Amino acid sequence: MNLKKVLGIATLASVFALTACKDEKKPETAAAAEPAKQEAPQKIKVGVMSGPEHQVAEIAAKIAKEKYNLTVEFVEFNDYALPNPAVSKGDLDINAMQHKPYLDSDVKANNLNNLVIVGNTFVYPLAGYSKTIKNVNELKDGATIAVPNDPSNQGRALILLEKQGLIKLNDNTNLAATPLDIVENPKNLQIKPVDTAVAARALDDVDLAVVNNTYAGQVGLNTTEHGVFVEDKDSPYVNIIVARQDNKDSKPVQDFVKAYQTEEVYQEAVKYFKDGVVKGW
């Protein structure tokens, strides 16, 4: 073989070797230069009751933004009858304002069969409040007691009154109990169903009122300082987050649930409700 051919082959081999080396390094160089991908921002619209529960949920919104880049828009309500239909119709993504017995009752009454539970929040125990007595033994014959008039909270309040020895129901497991289910009333107490939203404000007109914690907090009542008796903290009435069948597994919904079920949110709830709140998760 002559010298020119040898040199040509050697040169060609060198070119192939250099090209191969460059090709091998390309992926590494490209990977190093590629910027990190940022997660696209998410949004969610959440229904809550006005007052302390909304303030607690704001901490969940802050955590959702910081950890999951999730922007939370709250829609506030003063009427429990409105948030479930709003979620069902798609006006809201989720709501956080009720316990399961209330949801079950609302679903049945209003055919909201596309609603599902996606997470727990807190147990907010019902409590009996009074401006005139400190103990149930002080209730006089014929005293008037206000109870919430919505189906689930009314039964819950009556069961609580039975636990205090004030009345006896024909079935103390019936969550839909009404005053008509009272079979014993030794003090002839006047049980007065009132709108759930005004029960706390009825204290000027009744001897005792069984009040939902949401509304008690709105008028400055808490179980430690003002409660005559309080529902057990192992109550099955844990509050829940409710979504629809078609969005229950979506990332915004799941991220909001995770943001809510945190120690920071619990501590905010304690700030407002003192010992009237327990974790439900």
Side-chain angles (χ1 to χ4, degrees), residues 130-153:
S130 176
K131 289 188 174 181
T132 59
I133 66 168
K134 297 294 184 183
N135 189 288
V136 291
N137 296 328
E138 298 172 30
L139 275 174
K140 296 178 180 178
D141 285 0
T144 301
I145 299 178
V147 297
N149 67 356
D150 71 89
S152 60
N153 277 317

Side-chain angles (χ1 to χ4, degrees), residues 242-278:
V242 172
R244 293 183 305 279
Q245 285 284 356
D246 65 3
N247 73 344
K248 65 185 177 71
D249 297 318
S250 69
K251 193 172 189 310
V253 169
Q254 293 300 315
D255 285 347
F256 182 81
V257 172
K258 287 186 286 187
Y260 203 110
Q261 293 177 343
T262 54
E263 183 65 21
E264 296 96 319
V265 174
Y266 171 64
Q267 290 302 327
E268 186 72 5
V270 169
K271 193 165 80 176
Y272 283 97
F273 298 106
K274 305 269 189 293
D275 64 347
V277 60
V278 293

